[in-house]
Amino acid sequence: MPLHRKLLAEALGTMLLLATVVGSGIMGSALSGGNDGIALLANAAATAGMLYVLITILGPMSGAHFNPAVTLAMRLRGELSSTHALAYAAVQVVAAIAGVLLAHAMFGQALLQPGVHARSGGAQCLSEGVATAGLVLTILLGLRHRPDAIPALVASYIFAAYWFTASTSFANPAVTVARALTRSFAGIRPQDVGGFVLAQLAGTFVALALAAALPGRAQAPSVR
């Protein structure tokens, strides 16, 4: 498939994912009456549901990365060229920001709102490292053993990781950058983005090492 079609699929998927993350955060907060648990449940359920849909329908076109960490892992595994990987990552970041703006527009809010939700400290960064390592490992082992189950595996993992990590599992550098532009329940302060991204990259390398150490013959994902 031509690169421009793959990039279109990545852009569409990443934009809709972020619109879901931020939009469900806004709606969840509005309907929960200040109950953060209910707002988080709504946010997690909407995100997991949208991920299942997007991976199912767009995976055959681009591999449905929607995440520079996943793209980096595939590049290091030799599944993407450097040029394609850089193009994927650039599109993912731009589309993620577009998704945040779309969510704000749908709820009649200011399009650009620097995040104010503090997410700093060792526990938060450790959570992001664990969340990203788990996500990338889920994908790598899923491709190896149950490639047809990837949509359900990723959606289930993200739903769970919303709850078992202190950071609510961003697990995605593009998502992290974009969520610094919203003051909604899903936001993050701009000054906390760097720590999250470094932790996510570290988690990606941990996942690659674990996948290489675990038994089983790898199967290449259909991203070419």
Side-chain angles (χ1 to χ4, degrees):
M1 183 175 293
L3 177 60
H4 71 275
R5 293 184 183 274
K6 295 180 181 180
L7 295 180
L8 177 59
E10 284 294 300
L12 178 61
T14 308
M15 183 182 70
L16 289 175
L17 175 60
L18 266 294
T20 300
V21 170
V22 174
S24 64
I26 295 171
M27 181 66 83
S29 294
L31 296 180
S32 67
N35 187 318
D36 286 346
I38 295 176
L40 181 62
L41 178 60
N43 202 200
T47 301
M50 181 58 79
L51 272 171
Y52 182 89
V53 171
L54 293 175
I55 295 171
T56 298
I57 64 176
L58 298 176
M61 303 176 200
S62 69
H65 297 185
F66 316 141
N67 185 339
V70 175
T71 298
L72 174 62
M74 295 306 171
R75 172 64 193 97
L76 293 176
R77 279 163 47 94
E79 305 299 341
L80 286 176
S81 68
S82 295
T83 299
H84 285 201
L86 288 172
Y88 266 49
V91 164
Q92 289 157 0
V93 172
V94 172
I97 293 171
V100 171
L101 301 183
L102 176 60
H104 290 163
M106 288 192 293
F107 284 90
Q109 298 192 358
L111 295 184
L112 290 175
Q113 351 171 336
V116 296
H117 193 149
R119 300 180 188 269
S120 61
Q124 291 280 319
C125 289
L126 175 61
S127 292
E128 275 305 291
V130 170
T132 308
L135 173 62
V136 175
L137 189 61
T138 295
I139 293 169
L140 295 180
L141 296 185
L143 289 170
R144 181 182 298 174
H145 301 297
R146 286 288 306 280
D148 57 320
I150 286 291
L153 291 171
V154 172
S156 298
Y157 177 82
I158 289 297
F159 185 85
Y162 259 88
W163 291 93
F164 80 78
T165 62
S167 62
T168 69
S169 184
F170 286 43
N172 183 329
V175 164
T176 305
V177 170
R179 286 170 67 169
L181 300 176
T182 181
R183 291 180 182 172
S184 69
F185 177 83
I188 180 175
R189 296 185 306 181
Q191 60 263 42
D192 297 333
V193 167
F196 266 42
V197 171
L198 288 176
Q200 290 157 359
L201 294 176
T204 301
F205 285 103
V206 169
L208 285 164
L210 288 172
L214 290 168
R217 184 170 179 271
Q219 297 182 13
S222 55
V223 295
R224 296 183 186 278

